[in-house]
Amino acid sequence: MSGKSIIIIMAVALGILHQDFWNWDNGTLVFGFMPMGLFYHACFSLAAAILWVFAIKCAWPTKLVEWAEQDEDNERIKGA
Amino acid sequence: MMIPLLAASTTPLVIIGIYLGLLLALALFSRTLFRGTSTDYFVASRSIGPFMLLMSVFGTTMTAFALVGSTGKSFERGVGTYGLMASSSGLIHAACFFLIGIKLWSFGKKYGYVTQIQFFRDRFESRGFGYLLFPILVLLVIPYLLIGVIGASKTIIGVTGSKGTMPGMFPEFFESTGGAVPAWLTGAVICLVVLCYIFAGGSRAAAWANTFQTIVFMCMGLLAFYLISDKLGGLGAAIQQAKATHLVRTVSGEGGIVGVPPLMFLTYMLIPLSVGMFPHLFQHWLTARSAKSFRLTVIAHPLCIMIVWVPCVLIGLWATGKLPAGTPGGAVLAKTVGILVKDPVVVGLVTAGILAAIMSSLDSQFLCLGTMFTNDVVLERCGRERFTDKQIILIARLFVVGIVLLTYILSIVLFDKSVFDLAVWSFSGFASLTPLVFAALYWEGATKAGAFASVIAAMTVWLYFFQQSGWGGEYTVLNGVMPVAFSFGAGALAMIAVSIASAKPSAETINKFFPDL
């Protein structure tokens, strides 16, 4: 399975996990001050950041970026 | 006896003055880096590095809603506010930066675009498409601008107005407002400060100012959080003051105003897609020095949202036990700071933070409208070759002045209207246009007719629901479904159906936007 496919699966999984219906009426206080509904979604934010770390590692559009910067490199070479 | 009272009560305003002064000084410093070209004015010569890109993109996407709205919404709806608006944004905003931003940056760099419309005109081989999209984008940005200016004015009225039996700060100067600094004056000062640095340094000044403003509002949010929790006896004691109904997402209260219906929670996820079509964000993306600059923005954006929103949502929850239920959402943060912390220095610092959040969006919006008028209307109609680079900068500056003036006048005329309710409609409108940009970037088969159909269908459905809502205000259908689900769906369906049925783009266009890599 390619890196891009894994990222897409992870993103869809996060999209589903965002709908945490099991926490809807859960008023438990985590660490004595943070309602579960807030704690879960703060962790979700961390998970989102980790997903994008993987996305940059595995699905970075290297060829597109090189193509976009190509002329600039040529100009630099010409300038030199 | 009057002197100490006056000295103490005007302290917040002095601190706000210092903040505005620092902002101007920084922006004028950035003026010294201005290279005098139109590319520098519009997109900072595509030279902004990772940290400034993160700060300017984050500052631009977080409006007054970041500090004031999040606290107010949490006070009204409870803990579900974070999942509804913040955690979904962390995922979807970053997805837009990664999937849309980097691609648009690449085409912008390759083909020299400075506005979205330039890209769409080329991609869909239609000058006319630009004239359809231009007024829509402008009309969707204007309420967003008004929210900023009116929000700033209302914040300052809250800080300088009368409190209980104590008169406002300047009863002898502003009798009609009970001593509070009137909206016309705050609006004028805010607009002038932003105008000064946008006029002088364009996109580069906006990036520098946004970086400063974002640091200020993030720090001030954390400061307010620490001081309020301290006054309430610590984090554990503070949360004990919150109403139990606000600690869960279950719908309760008269008319179901507390909690979040599951369908609303699900369909609200479409609203953060709006960043994919914000014209001011597009302009920020183009300022990036290289695609690598996006990496920090993509990864850190969800974390920055968390740093700002978690404390604000908690403050809103704590406030449910301190403030009466009918307190307007927009006043919750200021009132909580005012009642619990009282220290005028802190009030001034937190107010400066709120203004920073507001102004970090305002400047980019003013600049982007000026850029669009110049490039998509004047240069498009008259031909770029008719003007020198200096004349192009002058035209853009004149447009920026005109837009600032128009926004200022509208903010005075519409001051008493509840424009905050328009925010979600503005975001919904932009989100409904996302199928357009996604198809343009990822589907070779997306055609000119499909693009027209997508925009017309999305905006027709959006307009229908906007009218049904009474031209603004919170509105859902079918037990909580957000109207954006329908307008987004209409835009996507129209794009697919009409593109399949219509003539394909030319081979030249396909090769230009789908290079064989």
Side-chain angles (χ1 to χ4, degrees):
Chain A
M1 194 181 280
S2 71
K4 279 185 188 172
S5 307
I6 294 170
I7 298 302
I8 291 169
I9 291 168
M10 283 171 70
V12 172
L14 269 185
I16 295 166
L17 286 171
H18 184 264
Q19 307 301 310
D20 58 329
F21 53 85
W22 56 91
N23 278 330
W24 222 267
D25 54 1
N26 187 348
T28 310
L29 294 176
V30 181
F31 305 127
F33 75 92
M34 208 169 194
M36 178 54 86
L38 183 58
F39 177 75
Y40 176 89
H41 280 276
C43 292
F44 182 93
S45 296
L46 289 173
I50 292 167
L51 167 75
W52 297 117
V53 171
F54 281 117
I56 284 167
K57 286 258 180 217
C58 306
W60 183 254
T62 311
K63 287 180 178 171
L64 176 77
V65 170
E66 281 173 2
W67 169 80
E69 290 175 343
Q70 214 169 34
D71 293 343
E72 190 184 54
D73 293 341
N74 290 343
E75 274 165 28
R76 273 198 208 125
I77 292 162
K78 273 183 213 163
Chain B
M1 286 300 285
M2 284 302 287
I3 292 165
L5 179 66
L6 190 67
S9 64
T10 52
T11 304
L13 218 50
V14 172
I15 290 171
I16 293 163
I18 292 170
Y19 157 70
L20 292 175
L22 282 174
L23 180 63
L24 265 181
L26 182 78
L28 290 176
F29 159 73
S30 76
R31 169 88 172 89
T32 59
L33 304 173
F34 181 50
R35 299 176 189 174
T37 65
S38 61
T39 310
D40 204 69
Y41 192 79
F42 295 135
V43 290
S45 300
R46 303 181 206 273
S47 63
I48 300 298
F51 180 70
M52 278 181 73
L53 186 70
L54 166 68
M55 290 289 110
S56 52
V57 166
F58 179 65
T60 302
T61 49
M62 295 291 118
T63 58
F65 227 86
L67 296 181
V68 181
S70 54
T71 314
K73 208 72 181 169
S74 161
F75 176 79
E76 289 166 359
R77 284 205 172 266
V79 72
T81 300
Y82 188 86
L84 189 74
M85 298 173 168
S87 61
S88 56
S89 296
L91 180 68
I92 291 172
H93 285 182
C96 289
F97 303 157
F98 189 73
L99 297 172
I100 299 174
I102 295 173
K103 273 215 159 199
L104 286 177
W105 174 86
S106 300
F107 292 131
K109 186 158 184 78
K110 191 81 178 172
Y111 303 126
Y113 299 135
V114 292
T115 72
Q116 275 169 315
I117 287 173
Q118 290 174 333
F119 162 73
F120 284 121
R121 275 180 164 145
D122 279 4
R123 169 62 184 86
F124 292 117
E125 304 168 313
S126 168
R127 304 292 97 188
F129 185 66
Y131 293 118
L132 171 71
L133 199 55
F134 177 80
I136 292 172
L137 294 178
V138 171
L139 286 175
L140 287 174
V141 170
I142 284 178
Y144 205 167
L145 279 168
L146 290 176
I147 293 162
V149 180
I150 295 177
S153 301
K154 287 191 172 169
T155 302
I156 295 296
I157 286 178
V159 171
T160 58
S162 58
K163 290 170 185 70
T165 52
M166 205 171 150
M169 278 185 198
F170 307 102
E172 64 277 27
F173 290 112
F174 309 118
E175 242 176 273
S176 62
T177 57
V181 175
W184 64 264
L185 183 55
T186 305
V189 171
I190 295 293
C191 286
L192 262 178
V193 170
V194 174
L195 178 64
C196 274
Y197 65 81
I198 290 298
F199 190 93
S203 205
R204 188 180 298 281
W208 276 86
N210 283 182
T211 302
F212 174 63
Q213 287 159 331
T214 305
I215 291 168
V216 167
F217 81 70
M218 287 178 86
C219 291
M220 293 312 127
L222 290 174
L223 177 74
F225 175 72
Y226 168 73
L227 292 171
I228 293 170
S229 70
D230 190 49
K231 288 286 173 187
L232 289 171
L235 295 172
I239 199 69
Q240 295 303 328
Q241 317 221 6
K243 286 183 183 166
T245 50
H246 286 66
L247 300 182
V248 292
R249 267 176 278 166
T250 316
V251 175
S252 61
E254 205 177 309
I257 49 165
V258 180
V260 187
L263 279 174
M264 178 192 265
F265 200 76
L266 175 67
T267 53
Y268 216 98
M269 277 195 93
L270 290 170
I271 291 186
L273 283 171
S274 51
V275 301
M277 275 301 290
F278 281 163
H280 47 287
L281 207 54
F282 176 88
Q283 201 165 352
H284 272 302
W285 288 339
L286 293 188
T287 63
R289 183 192 305 150
S290 73
K292 283 180 187 166
S293 301
F294 278 85
R295 290 178 177 178
L296 181 64
T297 303
V298 170
I299 296 168
H301 191 79
L303 302 177
C304 288
I305 290 180
M306 186 179 75
I307 291 167
V308 173
W309 279 69
V310 168
C312 289
V313 167
L314 281 171
I315 292 173
L317 294 177
W318 304 339
T320 57
K322 284 284 168 194
L323 302 176
T327 307
V332 171
L333 180 62
K335 277 190 186 291
T336 313
V337 171
I339 290 170
L340 292 174
V341 183
K342 290 182 184 135
D343 186 336
V345 175
V346 177
V347 171
L349 288 172
V350 173
T351 309
I354 294 170
L355 293 182
I358 291 172
M359 293 166 77
S360 64
S361 302
L362 267 183
D363 51 14
S364 310
Q365 291 157 348
F366 283 139
L367 181 67
C368 99
L369 289 184
T371 306
M372 285 164 65
F373 272 111
T374 308
N375 288 281
D376 299 329
V377 179
V378 178
L379 300 186
E380 173 66 24
R381 298 285 304 174
C382 306
R384 193 180 179 90
E385 61 287 347
R386 281 186 54 185
F387 302 96
T388 63
D389 215 36
K390 279 203 161 49
Q391 285 171 325
I392 291 172
I393 297 172
L394 178 66
I395 294 167
R397 282 175 166 157
L398 291 176
F399 273 123
V400 170
V401 173
I403 291 154
V404 172
L405 200 62
L406 177 71
T407 306
Y408 174 66
I409 293 166
L410 284 175
S411 75
I412 302 293
V413 175
L414 299 173
F415 183 74
D416 292 325
K417 302 270 179 206
S418 131
V419 288
F420 278 97
D421 293 338
L422 288 175
V424 78
W425 287 100
S426 172
F427 296 162
S428 298
F430 282 116
S432 309
L433 296 172
T434 321
L436 173 78
V437 68
F438 210 79
L441 291 170
Y442 287 96
W443 186 26
E444 288 182 18
T447 67
K448 170 182 158 182
F452 271 96
S454 178
V455 171
I456 292 167
M459 285 299 107
T460 306
V461 175
W462 177 85
L463 204 59
Y464 168 75
F465 284 113
F466 188 39
Q467 182 267 331
Q468 288 289 304
S469 74
W471 307 108
E474 203 167 279
Y475 182 79
T476 58
V477 288
L478 305 171
N479 263 340
V481 177
M482 298 296 290
V484 66
F486 297 98
S487 50
F488 177 89
L493 275 177
M495 170 59 85
I496 295 166
V498 177
S499 289
I500 288 172
S502 54
K504 300 291 163 243
S506 67
E508 190 191 345
T509 298
I510 298 287
N511 290 337
K512 186 171 180 181
F513 294 102
F514 298 90
D516 196 12
L517 299 172

